[in-house]
Amino acid sequence: IGTMLTLLGIAGWTVRTGWIFYGVLIAAGLYAGKQVTELRSPVDPGRAFNMFQEHVWLGSAILVGLLAGFLV
């Protein structure tokens, strides 16, 4: 997660996105970190699949943050 967020942050800095993008990256990192700590203990398969599906929304939020960062 740390590598992904670092590389996305560097990419955003390179193309000079606005502050909204970095706020979304922080929120995405906190949410993904929460999922990692939840996965350290056993979870049922249904919950694991729901967590997997939530990554679609996480990626969508990062994309929206990137686009909003260009508008600011």
Side-chain angles (χ1 to χ4, degrees):
I1 294 172
T3 303
M4 176 192 75
L5 294 173
T6 301
L7 291 175
L8 283 171
I10 291 170
W13 178 75
T14 302
V15 295
R16 303 194 196 300
T17 58
W19 61 269
I20 294 174
F21 176 65
Y22 301 105
V24 169
L25 278 184
I26 291 169
L30 292 172
Y31 187 75
K34 180 187 98 46
Q35 283 189 337
V36 167
T37 57
E38 187 176 347
L39 284 172
R40 290 184 186 216
S41 62
V43 294
D44 64 290
R47 176 64 185 136
F49 185 67
N50 286 341
M51 290 170 72
F52 175 73
Q53 289 178 323
E54 290 169 1
H55 283 264
V56 172
W57 295 109
L58 193 63
S60 298
I62 292 172
L63 176 62
V64 168
L66 177 65
L67 295 175
F70 282 124
L71 296 176
V72 172

